[in-house]
Amino acid sequence: MSTREESVQSAGLAGSVAVLCLSAFVVMIDSTVVQVMVPALTASFDAGLDDVLWVFNGFVIAYAALLITAGRLGGVHGPRRLLIAGLVVFALASLAGGLATSLPQLVAARVAQGVGGAMIVPQALTLIAAVFPAERRGAALGLVSATMALAAVLGPVGGGLVVTTWGWRWVFLVNVPVCLAAVVLARRWVPPGVTASRGRLDWGGVVLIGVGLATASYALLGPGRLPWLAPAAVLIAMFAARQRRQPDPLMPPRVFRDRAFLVAGWVGAAQFGVLAGLMLLVSVRVQSELGGDAIDTGLALLPMAVAAGLISPVAGWLSDRIGGGPIMAAGMLALGAGASGFALSTSGLAVAALAVAGLGVGLVMAPASTEAIRRLAPDLVPAASGVLNTARQAASLLGVAVIGGIAQAGPGAFTTAAGTLTALALLSGLAGLLLLPRHVRDDALTNRP
């Protein structure tokens, strides 16, 4: 390959990463921004808190329910097509949310945003696996992971500024030009037809897993709903049984025969669960103990997000060279230490502990994704991406539900909750270190018979 061809290829890869970062950013920031809008929405629609919370719940339920289906659709129709369609859906839903004249209209728009988000997010891993050389995937995933980490924390801060300056409607309206710009860039930089196949979609499986995951998400989003987990488990079990009989399954069972996928998938999900639980503890301390608000919570979390954003590309680059096991183990150790340090410290030391936790997050996010797909056949990556993102979303909801319950148990509950997060982080990191298959050079994997 000539120097000019290499330069053009590198520019195309950089453009693809930029599109994926921008797409992930707009979805992640909208998944966290609603908490700062609650007072404005209750006043605007003269509604109660329980009703307004469906602006958040509607997004989460739709998003979680469709990740597996959207991942598989990316394999059937091509991830570029799904990415662009998801961006269009997200833009239209954002426009509808910004123009909503009633709370039901806004909730419906948020559900549509969840649909668009579910179409967008799984395509990042699929596209990176298909477009990038094996030895550069970790670095690319590191950049996307850094963007997502920053967006998760900047949502409350940036959203608070927008609500205060221009009003809550602009939180949604500002998405429209961003999504349209991402569409233009995707058409320019993301290769068409990548990994598209002529497989058929298992619609029965779509209904079972969609309703099952939506029910499970509903059960975890509020107190008193845990009995809903029983029918959710039945539906998900029926889906799993159906997949074994399907000639073209929505979630191919052979994905779960890969040990690296299972181990790295578990570590990645555990990291999201610990992170969600820790963010809840930060919110409790800032808002309940210190009298702050959601914006203050976002500012308290900013050192964690910055640390994660800075180290994530480095962790992805290292995982391409030495394997992700040791890096993930170090990350989970740092995340656990940060959770304990935050619970036991005050003022500046607590902020430093959150920065340590952020380093842990950044060390885990990209290597977990890289290791999960490293040994999978290309046709399995779209379905695997949907499964990984679903597991992480479920772990986040479960982390909030469990840690929230522990934190309300009485004296010493805050420390107990942090200790639970630390134990989960350390055990998961150890499992990744011991159980992840030995690192093999990616060119050896690519050229194996």
Side-chain angles (χ1 to χ4, degrees):
M1 183 181 295
S2 68
T3 302
R4 178 177 174 79
E5 289 173 331
E6 290 179 352
S7 177
V8 171
Q9 183 186 54
S10 296
L13 295 178
S16 295
V17 171
V19 172
L20 296 176
C21 288
L22 185 60
S23 302
F25 185 86
V26 74
V27 174
M28 290 304 299
I29 205 166
D30 260 45
S31 69
T32 60
V33 72
V34 169
Q35 55 186 306
V36 300
M37 298 168 53
V38 169
L41 294 178
T42 55
S44 181
F45 295 115
D46 191 23
L49 177 61
D50 288 344
D51 293 328
V52 169
L53 285 178
W54 277 100
V55 177
F56 171 76
N57 294 346
F59 178 95
V60 171
I61 290 173
Y63 178 73
L66 295 175
L67 281 168
I68 287 178
T69 298
R72 181 72 179 101
L73 281 172
V76 173
H77 299 292
R80 178 180 183 265
R81 186 176 297 175
L82 260 290
L83 175 68
I84 292 174
L87 287 166
V88 171
V89 170
F90 203 90
L92 293 175
S94 297
L95 179 62
L99 299 178
T101 58
S102 68
L103 188 59
Q105 289 180 9
L106 181 57
V107 172
R110 285 288 288 173
V111 170
Q113 273 192 320
V115 174
M119 295 169 69
I120 292 169
V121 170
Q123 313 316 322
L125 183 56
T126 304
L127 282 165
I128 287 173
V131 173
F132 280 77
E135 68 277 6
R136 297 175 65 179
R137 290 174 189 162
L141 284 168
L143 291 171
V144 177
S145 298
T147 301
M148 294 175 72
L150 287 170
V153 174
L154 290 177
V157 179
L161 293 174
V162 172
V163 171
T164 302
T165 306
W166 297 316
W168 65 265
R169 295 182 183 278
W170 283 98
V171 172
F172 300 111
L173 294 176
V174 75
N175 292 333
V176 177
V178 176
C179 288
L180 294 180
V183 168
V184 173
L185 292 174
R187 291 177 62 85
R188 171 67 178 85
W189 292 113
V190 178
V194 174
T195 72
S197 68
R198 297 188 179 276
R200 299 175 59 186
L201 198 63
D202 172 23
W203 287 105
V206 169
V207 173
L208 285 172
I209 195 62
V211 177
L213 291 173
T215 305
S217 300
Y218 174 79
L220 294 171
L221 279 170
R225 299 177 185 170
L226 288 181
W228 284 94
L229 285 177
V234 171
L235 289 169
I236 294 171
M238 291 173 62
F239 167 77
R242 178 184 176 89
Q243 297 308 286
R244 299 190 188 98
R245 304 190 301 267
Q246 292 296 311
D248 194 12
L250 189 66
M251 190 173 68
R254 58 195 175 108
V255 169
F256 298 96
R257 297 172 192 157
D258 184 89
R259 191 175 75 184
F261 173 81
L262 293 175
V263 175
W266 164 259
V267 176
Q271 176 245 309
F272 269 74
V274 173
L275 176 60
L278 177 57
M279 292 176 70
L280 175 62
L281 293 184
V282 175
S283 179
V284 168
R285 173 169 284 183
V286 171
Q287 299 185 40
S288 298
E289 298 181 13
L290 303 179
D293 55 19
I295 299 177
D296 295 320
T297 301
L299 292 173
L301 289 167
L302 195 57
M304 181 166 68
V306 171
L310 290 175
I311 200 65
S312 189
V314 178
W317 179 83
L318 283 173
S319 70
D320 288 333
R321 283 149 182 80
I322 66 173
I327 302 170
M328 289 190 294
M332 294 304 278
L333 175 62
L335 181 54
S340 290
F342 173 76
L344 299 173
S345 305
T346 57
S347 63
L349 290 177
V351 173
L354 289 178
V356 171
L359 290 174
V361 171
L363 287 171
V364 175
M365 288 186 75
S369 297
T370 303
E371 294 299 327
I373 66 167
R374 191 185 294 277
R375 292 164 174 78
L376 291 179
D379 64 304
L380 295 179
V381 173
S385 178
V387 173
L388 290 173
N389 283 287
T390 300
R392 293 171 180 180
Q393 178 69 13
S396 297
L397 295 177
L398 189 59
V400 170
V402 172
I403 296 304
I406 295 174
Q408 300 176 35
F414 194 92
T415 303
T416 302
T420 302
L421 294 177
T422 300
L424 176 59
L426 296 181
L427 290 174
S428 299
L430 182 63
L433 183 63
L434 296 179
L435 300 178
L436 196 69
R438 181 179 60 86
H439 179 62
V440 178
R441 284 177 50 191
D442 289 307
D443 56 356
L445 288 172
T446 302
N447 297 324
R448 65 187 176 187

